[in-house]
Amino acid sequence: MIYNINLGKWNSVFAVPSEFVDKYIVPSNEAQIKVFLWILRHSGQKLSLSEIANALGLTQEEVKNSVVYWQERDLISMPLSEE
C-alpha cells in the first residue's frame, strides 16, 4: 500500500523536535503526546491548564502531569496558569 501526504493541508505547519520522535514518542502516553504537540503548536502564547484540558478533552490533572513529564525531560519550559 502506498501512503501520500495531502500537501494542500501544509499551508500552516509547525516543527516537531527530532528528539521527541526519536526518544519519547514510544514511551510517552497518549495524554503526554497530545499535550506536547498542542503546546508546541501554540508556542509563544500564554496557555492555561484549563485551556489545554478543554481543547484536548483531558482533565487539568492530566495536563499538569503531562507538562511536568516534558519539563523533566527538558523539552518544554514554561509556566502554566492554573486557571
Side-chain angles (χ1 to χ4, degrees), residues 46-54 60 63 80-83:
K46 288 189 174 188
L47 305 171
S48 69
L49 292 175
S50 62
E51 178 182 8
I52 298 168
N54 289 338
Q60 288 189 35
V63 172
L80 288 176
S81 167
E82 295 287 334
E83 297 176 14

Side-chain angles (χ1 to χ4, degrees), residues 35-51:
V35 168
F36 181 80
L37 291 174
W38 202 89
I39 290 173
L40 189 62
R41 165 64 178 90
H42 294 89
S43 64
Q45 298 177 16
K46 288 189 174 188
L47 305 171
S48 69
L49 292 175
S50 62
E51 178 182 8

Side-chain angles (χ1 to χ4, degrees), residues 19-20 23-24 27-28 32 36 65-77:
E19 184 175 351
F20 169 77
K23 291 175 68 176
Y24 299 112
S28 304
Q32 293 161 340
F36 181 80
N65 290 339
S66 295
V67 167
V68 169
Y69 176 85
W70 294 117
Q71 288 172 326
E72 288 172 349
R73 282 145 187 84
D74 204 28
L75 283 182
I76 65 169
S77 61

